[in-house]
Amino acid sequence: MPSLTKYFTPRQLLFATFSFVVGVWTFIKVNEISGPAFEPIIEKCLSFSSFESMDAFVEETQLHEYNTFVGLKLFDLLVCLITQFLLELRNTYPAGLLTWSGVVLSAFGVAPTLLVESRRKGAKGLLIYPIVYGVLFQLFGVSVIFPLLWVPSYILGKGNGPVSVYCAKAAFWLNLPTVVLTTIVFVAHTDSYLWTLCAGILGGPMLALSSIALWSDVTPDSSPKENEISLKYIKRSMHLCSFVGSMGWFFCLSVAYSHYSSISSFWDDVWVNANSSVAFMTIDTCFLYVGAVIMIAYESIPKALKSLALLPILGPASASVVLAELEVYRYDSFAEKKEG
């Protein structure tokens, strides 16, 4: 049996293994927290088919109604569960808002990379299937799947070269709906159809399937001109994500500052005395960002340290700032190899 070092460098194996272990630990931890709280809700959601109507289901189970359309039948259980989950977060202000926003901002910092890397020539393995990852993120949690599978897939299977302008632009625009839906879920009245619809979309497969928009996208051949165009638009998408993410971070800071007298009181609310939904999202926020730092550290440890240094200022958007810089470095390195 050939050694793995025949195909991968020790650095690749070290970082991929470390990220995988972080993902395993996160999976165990989130299940310890969410399992006991979610099991009775799942049992009630599974009983929906025994009721004649949604009104009867709501009256008997005392759950919030959920949108049966956005689950596309196959994911109705997930939509039901996440709707209840988001309702609890909405009713746990401001901890629910802050922790959910933390995950959205962390995801927004790395989201362009997920789409861009799936379209580069030479990419292989699961890396080229963003729809699969989107569904896995919804089913098991982004803080689990990102370090467990995506980061190792990136380290062991990334490609090189340009992507199309369409892909580079989509890397921002396909992720913007999550921010819009989050805003609605924390602003709209929870008894409204709009709230139920948006909560269902956030928890269902529709966002995960959005990358199907890249299905017919054609990756251009590498050339100095295509490389420069690709770099320009990838950087633009990452900078847009940095801007939106930093604005969200400043908003979260203002909410936290107005509601907590100290860091310890904030930590008590989001972790020590938190309900299962808030604690789940706290882990999601932290370890999604940890996964991003591992990915950046694989490329450049100084850049990973820079991302951490910028974290208090820009929040999770610091990841996309550094990833844009790494894109320039990658372009320069690729260009040198082509010339050589």
Side-chain angles (χ1 to χ4, degrees), residues 5 9 15 20 28 30 36 46-47 50 69 78 86 94 112 126 167 169 173 196 237 246 275 325 331 339:
T5 54
T9 67
F15 276 88
F20 180 82
I28 294 171
V30 296
L46 286 171
S47 70
S50 64
F69 173 75
L78 183 63
L86 285 168
L126 279 177
C167 173
K169 289 181 177 180
W173 292 109
T196 304
S237 283
S246 60
N275 59 40
E325 295 176 357
Y331 166 78
E339 290 174 4

Side-chain angles (χ1 to χ4, degrees), residues 133-169:
Y133 277 111
V135 172
L136 290 174
F137 289 159
Q138 294 293 73
L139 290 174
F140 299 103
V142 65
S143 67
V144 172
I145 299 301
F146 187 72
L148 182 73
L149 294 179
W150 193 89
V151 174
S153 295
Y154 167 78
I155 292 171
L156 302 177
K158 70 173 186 170
N160 265 312
V163 298
S164 68
V165 172
Y166 174 73
C167 173
K169 289 181 177 180

Side-chain angles (χ1 to χ4, degrees), residues 90-249:
R90 171 67 185 269
N91 292 334
T92 313
Y93 185 84
L97 168 65
L98 294 174
T99 52
W100 178 270
S101 297
V103 172
V104 171
L105 296 178
S106 294
F108 213 67
V110 298
T113 302
L114 270 69
L115 291 178
V116 167
E117 295 303 330
S118 72
R119 305 306 301 171
R120 290 193 196 273
K121 285 193 173 180
K124 54 184 179 291
L126 279 177
L127 189 65
I128 65 175
Y129 301 109
I131 292 177
V132 173
Y133 277 111
V135 172
L136 290 174
F137 289 159
Q138 294 293 73
L139 290 174
F140 299 103
V142 65
S143 67
V144 172
I145 299 301
F146 187 72
L148 182 73
L149 294 179
W150 193 89
V151 174
S153 295
Y154 167 78
I155 292 171
L156 302 177
K158 70 173 186 170
N160 265 312
V163 298
S164 68
V165 172
Y166 174 73
C167 173
K169 289 181 177 180
F172 170 74
W173 292 109
L174 287 182
N175 291 290
L176 192 59
T178 303
V179 177
V180 176
L181 290 167
T182 292
T183 302
I184 294 172
V185 163
F186 283 94
V187 172
H189 197 287
T190 56
D191 289 334
S192 67
Y193 175 79
L194 177 63
W195 187 92
T196 304
L197 175 65
C198 292
I201 295 174
L202 276 175
M206 287 189 171
L207 289 177
L209 297 175
S210 63
S211 57
I212 200 171
L214 296 174
W215 191 263
S216 60
D217 176 57
V218 178
T219 301
D221 292 326
S222 180
S223 69
K225 181 180 178 181
E226 289 292 349
N227 291 343
E228 288 183 14
I229 293 172
S230 176
L231 174 64
K232 173 185 174 181
Y233 284 98
I234 291 173
K235 282 177 60 182
R236 181 175 296 179
S237 283
M238 289 182 174
H239 288 154
L240 284 170
C241 284
S242 300
F243 175 76
V244 174
S246 60
M247 292 301 101
W249 176 249

Side-chain angles (χ1 to χ4, degrees), residues 61-79:
T61 63
Q62 297 300 302
L63 296 181
H64 193 287
E65 68 174 307
Y66 65 97
N67 191 296
T68 56
F69 173 75
V70 296
L72 306 178
K73 297 298 182 183
L74 187 62
F75 295 92
D76 281 357
L77 172 61
L78 183 63
V79 171

Side-chain angles (χ1 to χ4, degrees), residues 291-335:
V293 172
I294 294 171
M295 174 183 66
I296 294 169
Y298 166 70
E299 297 291 352
S300 169
I301 290 179
K303 292 296 185 185
L305 295 175
K306 180 176 181 178
S307 178
L308 290 170
L310 290 173
L311 180 62
I313 304 169
L314 300 177
S318 62
S320 51
V321 170
V322 172
L323 286 169
E325 295 176 357
L326 284 173
E327 191 66 26
V328 177
Y329 174 77
R330 188 182 207 168
Y331 166 78
D332 291 340
S333 299
F334 186 66

